Amino acid sequence: MTAEGRPLVTAAVSTPGRGLFGHRNFRLLLIGETTSRFGTSVTSVLLPLTAVVTLDASPALVGLLTAAPWLPWLVLGLPAGAWVDQWPRRPVMHVCNLVSAALFASVPAAWWLDVLTVWQLLAVAFLTGTASVFFSTAYSSYLPVLVDRSELLEGNAKLQGGEHLARIAGPGAGGLLAQLLGTVPGLLLDSVSFVVSSWCLRRIRADEPRGAGGRVRLRQEMSAGLRFVGRDPLLRTVIGFGAAANLALAGYEATYILFLVRSVGLNAGTVGLLGSCGAVGGVLGVLCARRLARRLGTARALVTAQLGCSLFGLLIPLTAPGPRLALFVIGSTMTMAGLVACNVILVSFRQSYCPQELLGRVTSTALLINYSTVPLGAVAAGALTSAVGPRPTMWIVAGALVAAVLPLLSRPLRGLRDLPGAGVGAESGARAASR
């Protein structure tokens, strides 16, 4: 209880037999996020297609467009964690959604006025990325407010399941919208999806832990999160894996549309449908994550999922028109299945392992390191594509996805069956916060 007599947390009370689907607050979070992710997945196809088809952007500019949403993490990642630990999470997410809705609506408006340029696309990508820094930090710290720690793996699996179901429909819908209406008007759908997400957030009724209040001492607050991560070998290892995987995945995201359009020779509709394959893999990863974790243990499941699935990515560069399109389907589906299964396990580990009062700062530190490699991977892939072409670049990217497993084979995880629970992390977190 707080000093005022209010509960710190309104914990999830699940309906028997329905799990978290029976909890109103979790359902609202799931509906809002799934809707928003659907709009974002439509934009993931339409924004680069707008650059390539409507504005005839170069491969380097397409790579920069892919990198732009991630650049704000390099500047704001650590301060965002310190601020979010002091603020209630839900209003932060609400404001970020509304800002993103307005920014994406500006692109069709500029197009209708015949003033749209690739520089506006870059600005929108950068500014929505800035909003995403605060949203993602608050969002990753918000689930433990709604559900019990024993339900975090289920909650993360359901949230990521909804996200990847949206990603199945989104690219196909984006490709269809591009063919029916052109590449730009469909971006309004993403704007509306952010508004729906905000409406769902406003209807959630759950008290949050109060922050320390008062003035935020940025250096001291950021240092606590950095010390916690820096002194914990397990966190360092899994964050290193995330950074390596994101480096390769960003290269893939920056390359695959150019690869399918210019090397394989596909139209926008087919590109959109093939882009959904990764989302299908994401759903498979969500469905398998909990089963793998129970059967093998969480630590062993990480290695098995990543190494076993990433090898299929080596099929992607062999894609060609006709029956060999199946190679892209298999490769992208299996690669994403492994990455998403790992992500479900790792997010749940971080949320249960880290003390609640440090979770925003630890999350922002982890995401900063993980996401700092995204613009590097995207820009490097754009430069490689300009220099050697899309297909050789895709070979390099596929190899990098396999190599991302190396941190998981290092000493802190070697020999472990399961990642540890909250006790060890909470103890070291208390020491970090007290210094």
Side-chain angles (χ1 to χ4, degrees), residues 171-212:
L176 183 61
L177 285 170
Q179 287 193 314
L180 295 178
L181 304 176
T183 57
V184 180
L187 292 172
L188 279 176
L189 184 62
D190 198 7
S191 182
V192 172
S193 75
F194 279 109
V195 175
V196 172
S197 178
S198 265
W199 180 82
C200 289
L201 284 171
R202 286 180 64 85
R203 291 178 58 82
I204 289 175
R205 298 291 179 264
D207 293 325
E208 297 185 51
R210 292 183 179 273

Side-chain angles (χ1 to χ4, degrees), residues 211-235:
R215 184 176 178 180
V216 179
R217 295 168 292 180
L218 278 181
R219 172 178 274 181
Q220 182 176 340
E221 299 293 336
M222 290 187 298
S223 295
L226 286 169
R227 282 197 300 269
F228 183 84
V229 172
R231 294 173 179 173
D232 193 296
L234 274 174
L235 279 175

Side-chain angles (χ1 to χ4, degrees), residues 63-292:
L64 186 58
L65 184 64
T66 304
W70 307 100
L71 293 174
W73 281 99
L74 303 179
V75 179
L76 295 173
L78 291 179
W83 284 319
V84 166
D85 273 341
Q86 304 293 317
W87 300 336
R89 273 75 161 175
R90 189 161 58 100
V92 172
M93 294 189 288
H94 175 63
V95 170
C96 291
N97 275 334
L98 295 181
V99 169
S100 296
L103 287 166
F104 279 118
S106 74
V107 176
W111 178 70
W112 283 321
L113 294 171
D114 199 26
V115 294
L116 181 63
T117 67
V118 71
W119 303 110
Q120 180 176 346
L121 295 185
L122 288 168
V124 168
F126 181 83
L127 292 173
T128 54
T130 300
S132 180
V133 171
F134 290 92
F135 183 94
S136 297
T137 303
Y139 174 68
S140 295
S141 305
Y142 192 54
L143 185 61
V145 172
L146 299 184
V147 306
D148 188 80
R149 289 197 172 199
S150 65
E151 298 175 304
L152 285 174
L153 190 60
E154 178 191 353
N156 282 307
K158 284 181 165 61
L159 287 169
Q160 293 202 34
E163 173 184 342
H164 288 281
L165 284 172
R167 288 185 176 182
I168 291 173
L176 183 61
L177 285 170
Q179 287 193 314
L180 295 178
L181 304 176
T183 57
V184 180
L187 292 172
L188 279 176
L189 184 62
D190 198 7
S191 182
V192 172
S193 75
F194 279 109
V195 175
V196 172
S197 178
S198 265
W199 180 82
C200 289
L201 284 171
R202 286 180 64 85
R203 291 178 58 82
I204 289 175
R205 298 291 179 264
D207 293 325
E208 297 185 51
R210 292 183 179 273
R215 184 176 178 180
V216 179
R217 295 168 292 180
L218 278 181
R219 172 178 274 181
Q220 182 176 340
E221 299 293 336
M222 290 187 298
S223 295
L226 286 169
R227 282 197 300 269
F228 183 84
V229 172
R231 294 173 179 173
D232 193 296
L234 274 174
L235 279 175
R236 292 199 308 269
T237 299
V238 297
I239 289 172
F241 160 69
N246 279 339
L247 177 72
L249 189 59
Y252 170 80
E253 294 286 348
T255 305
Y256 90 91
I257 287 180
L258 281 166
F259 171 66
L260 293 175
V261 171
R262 296 183 180 174
S263 294
V264 184
L266 304 180
N267 60 36
T270 306
V271 170
L273 289 173
L274 289 177
S276 300
C277 296
V280 174
V283 174
L284 292 176
V286 166
L287 294 175
C288 293
R290 295 171 70 193
R291 291 177 174 87
L292 279 174

